[in-house]
């Protein structure tokens, strides 16, 4: 297993291109199952999770081709000859569950293993099941697999989600595009990835209104056709690289970034004393002098502070002046980076869903272990401001969500390398 070695010190300067969003691409790809015609995605990120989704779609009978070094993906689901999403693939990535809604809508039946993914909480699927059952599906759990069928086809319905789950909204939205009649999804997730999915589905012929708000209305159509769609910018990769100069000092422009993708996060950076400026090319981030100030953060569904940036934000707050509080409200077990940061000299207390971070002047490099995708990158960020060398092991998590991370961070002056073990 590879490790990443980061040596702290030195300001960062330059620009980093931000890739297409992993989480958008992982829901756009299964949308191909809704149509017999090809779907082409441009600006796709080059990540192992995207390869896993490709494998899953291929296992169902879809054909997939990638061009331009993986940035353009064309998928065709003309002949789907399998309706079972096997545990061997699904366990690698929770987003695999996003094939359930489209397969059910297109084929009238689907069998999908319960997923795995990051070990950051229980992450059940009750809301996906509730929504699809409202649309007329019959679903039971046998041998670790969800067996879903819609013998009389799917029918539009009014669905109120008890929590604005991103995945449940996506699965229900995709399924409802081919349901008969009108579907209303209330308390729908409002993430930019949902808007991106709805935009692509509209290009495929779906009739959807209200995406980006809490109420999405879908008028079912008989069939969807092919389309070409560029994947929206990855707001989590964007926020992560915005934190690099905020933690290590210097000035970095994140190309393709827009404030609207990370507004709440930018407000917190501003409160911490970090300058963010929207330019024609992206977002320019600078920390000119002194320590950052402590800030309090509560993770919330969009447009609130994203849970996927909580670990990276904590890395910055470890060396802030004063005490910060981080409340995690989305996942119950998402502070696994805290003990690793403590090994680097951070002063963090965790009680349930709250972490209290007492800022220290300096972190010290240490061998640490990546426990999930966002935790891994938070340790790299912390290492860039720490004294000496930080060795992050188990970095395979990183390959799931950050393309060319070593190359991108080296290009702005970070001392970072990947070593094979
Ligand atoms: C997506 C993102 C993930 C991000 C998360 C929250 C993808 C591929 N992943 O995950 O990076 O951290 O949104 O922004 O897009 N829940 C239930 N029942 C359900 C579904 C979810 O209780 O049926 C709970 C989960 O356990 C969790 C919370 O809702 O506590 C958020 O989950 P959800 O919004 O569904 O996240 P994902 O779609 O899994």
């Amino acid at each position: 297993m590879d490790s990443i070695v980061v040596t702290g010190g030195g300001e960062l300067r330059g620009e980093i291109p931000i890739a297409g969003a992993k989480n958008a691409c992982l829901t756009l790809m299964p949308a191909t199952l809704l149509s017999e015609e090809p779907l082409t995605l441009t600006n796709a990120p080059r990540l192992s999770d995207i390869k896993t989704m490709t494998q899953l779609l291929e296992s169902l009978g879809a054909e997939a081709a990638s061009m331009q070094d993986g940035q353009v993906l064309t998928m065709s689901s003309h002949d789907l000859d399998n309706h079972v999403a096997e545990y061997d693939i699904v366990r690698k990535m929770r987003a695999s569950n996003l094939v359930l809604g489209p397969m059910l809508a297109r084929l009238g039946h689907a069998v999908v293993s319960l997923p795995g993914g990051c070990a950051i909480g229980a992450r059940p699927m009750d809301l996906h099941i509730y929504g699809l059952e409202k649309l007329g599906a019959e679903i039971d759990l046998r041998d670790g697999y969800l067996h879903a069928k819609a013998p009389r086809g799917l029918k539009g319905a009014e669905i109120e989600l008890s929590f604005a789950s991103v995945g449940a909204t996506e699965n229900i939205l995709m399924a409802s595009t081919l349901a008969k009649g009108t579907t209303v999804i209330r308390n729908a997730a409002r993430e930019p990835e949902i808007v991106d999915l709805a935009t692509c589905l509209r290009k495929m012929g779906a009739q959807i209104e209200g995406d980006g708000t809490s109420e999405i209305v879908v008028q079912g159509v008989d069939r969807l056709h092919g389309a070409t769609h560029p994947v929206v910018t990855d707001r989590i990769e964007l926020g992560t690289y915005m934190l690099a100069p905020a933690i290590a000092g210097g000035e970095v422009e994140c190309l393709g970034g827009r404030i609207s993708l990370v507004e709440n996060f930018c407000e917190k950076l501003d409160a911490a004393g970090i300058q963010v400026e929207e330019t024609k090319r992206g977002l320019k981030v600078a920390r000119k002098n002194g320590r950052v100030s402590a800030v309090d953060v509560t993770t919330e569904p969009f447009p609130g502070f994203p849970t996927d940036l909580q670990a990276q934000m904590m890395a910055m707050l470890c060396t802030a002046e004063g005490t910060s509080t981080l409340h995690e409200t989305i996942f119950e077990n998402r502070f696994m980076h805290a003990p690793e940061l403590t090994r680097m000299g951070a002063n963090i207390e965790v009680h349930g869903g709250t972490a209290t971070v007492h800022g220290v002047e300096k972190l010290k490099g240490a061998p640490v272990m990546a426990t999930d995708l966002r935790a891994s990158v938070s340790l790299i960020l912390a290492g860039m401001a720490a004294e000496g060398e930080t060795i992050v092991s188990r970095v395979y998590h990183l390959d799931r969500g950050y393309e060319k991370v070593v190359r991108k961070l080296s290009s702005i002056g970070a001392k970072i390398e990947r070593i094979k073990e």
Side-chain angles (χ1 to χ4, degrees):
M1 266 185 271
D2 294 3
S3 304
I4 285 184
V5 182
V6 193
T7 309
E11 294 202 332
L12 306 176
R13 236 158 258 289
E15 50 190 48
I16 292 188
I18 305 300
K22 168 180 86 80
N23 287 349
C25 203
L26 288 176
T27 185
L28 291 163
M29 292 172 76
T32 190
L33 298 170
L34 290 164
S35 170
E36 289 185 1
E37 295 176 19
L39 173 66
T40 297
L41 299 175
T42 59
N43 196 36
R46 286 143 310 166
L47 301 168
S48 63
D49 270 8
I50 301 299
K51 288 196 181 126
T52 305
M53 183 57 86
T54 306
Q55 272 174 14
L56 175 58
L57 294 174
E58 283 175 342
S59 77
L60 301 173
E63 285 173 24
S66 80
M67 283 158 288
Q68 293 184 25
D69 188 26
Q71 285 187 97
V72 177
L73 302 175
T74 297
M75 291 144 293
S76 164
S77 304
H78 191 269
D79 303 304
L80 295 178
D81 53 12
N82 174 25
H83 64 281
V84 184
E86 296 284 354
Y87 177 62
D88 258 3
I89 301 183
V90 177
R91 74 185 164 83
K92 294 187 193 162
M93 182 180 72
R94 178 178 164 85
S96 308
N97 63 24
L98 294 170
V99 300
L100 176 61
M103 246 201 301
L104 189 61
R106 168 91 180 275
L107 302 176
H109 52 262
V111 176
V112 176
S113 168
L114 280 179
C118 281
I120 55 175
R123 304 180 91 176
M125 281 192 66
D126 54 323
L127 299 171
H128 301 239
I129 296 168
Y130 165 77
L132 295 172
E133 284 182 340
K134 278 275 199 178
L135 292 175
E138 294 165 14
I139 304 179
D140 24 69
L141 175 65
R142 293 199 300 272
D143 312 322
Y145 283 77
L146 292 173
H147 293 253
K149 57 180 192 252
R152 287 170 296 281
L154 297 179
K155 266 182 74 182
E158 305 223 342
I159 299 162
E160 171 118 24
L161 296 176
S162 56
F163 176 82
S165 153
V166 175
T169 303
E170 291 167 344
N171 245 331
I172 298 165
L173 174 60
M174 286 191 275
S176 64
T177 58
L178 293 179
K180 278 208 161 35
T182 309
T183 298
V184 182
I185 311 172
R186 300 214 169 85
N187 197 24
R190 292 180 279 166
E191 270 67 3
E193 293 76 24
I194 304 275
V195 176
D196 205 36
L197 173 64
T199 306
C200 177
L201 291 170
R202 274 191 290 269
K203 287 182 193 165
M204 294 168 74
Q207 290 187 22
I208 303 167
E209 282 174 20
D211 44 297
T213 76
S214 298
E215 187 169 299
I216 303 180
V217 181
V218 186
Q219 211 64 55
V221 296
D222 287 341
R223 57 183 297 280
L224 296 181
H225 50 75
T228 297
H229 178 78
V231 180
V232 68
T233 300
D234 195 320
R235 64 197 164 95
I236 307 302
E237 193 198 28
L238 170 65
T240 302
Y241 289 130
M242 288 171 75
L243 281 168
I247 291 176
E251 184 173 292
V252 171
E253 190 166 12
C254 295
L255 305 179
R258 300 194 308 276
I259 297 260
S260 59
L261 290 171
V262 280
E263 201 157 347
N264 183 292
F265 170 73
C266 287
E267 282 164 19
K268 296 294 174 190
L269 287 188
D270 183 53
I274 304 299
Q275 292 150 29
V276 179
E277 184 198 339
E278 194 164 64
T279 65
K280 279 194 185 129
R281 306 171 69 214
L283 294 181
K284 200 180 264 181
V285 185
R287 195 186 105 204
K288 294 275 157 60
N289 41 40
R291 283 167 70 183
V292 299
S293 308
V295 288
D296 294 336
V297 169
T298 300
T299 62
E300 282 167 342
F302 191 86
F305 191 97
T307 174
D308 287 352
L309 284 173
Q310 178 259 106
Q312 303 88 311
M313 190 72 175
M314 186 188 281
M316 181 185 87
L317 295 174
C318 287
T319 51
E321 204 146 9
T323 297
S324 310
T325 311
L326 294 129
H327 296 287
E328 174 57 60
T329 72
I330 309 291
F331 292 112
E332 68 272 25
N333 190 18
R334 206 170 200 184
F335 285 132
M336 286 179 299
H337 40 284
E340 300 300 314
L341 290 168
T342 304
R343 302 194 65 236
M344 299 175 69
N347 183 351
I348 307 168
E349 296 157 40
V350 176
H351 296 288
T354 302
T356 308
V357 184
H358 306 282
V360 296
E361 204 148 314
K362 200 98 194 124
L363 293 179
K364 293 203 169 69
V368 286
M369 201 175 284
T371 48
D372 66 61
L373 170 55
R374 308 303 170 185
S376 327
V377 85
S378 76
L379 298 173
I380 292 179
L381 290 174
M384 293 194 312
E387 248 164 37
E389 206 173 75
T390 297
I391 304 164
V392 186
S393 55
R394 293 208 185 159
V395 295
Y396 55 86
H397 291 291
L398 266 183
D399 300 329
R400 294 188 41 213
Y402 290 91
E403 65 166 43
K404 305 185 194 306
V405 63
V406 169
R407 200 189 297 175
K408 285 188 181 182
L409 286 172
S410 306
S411 76
I412 54 169
K415 296 176 204 110
I416 176 169
E417 61 177 328
R418 185 169 180 137
I419 50 170
K420 300 234 173 273
E421 277 175 5

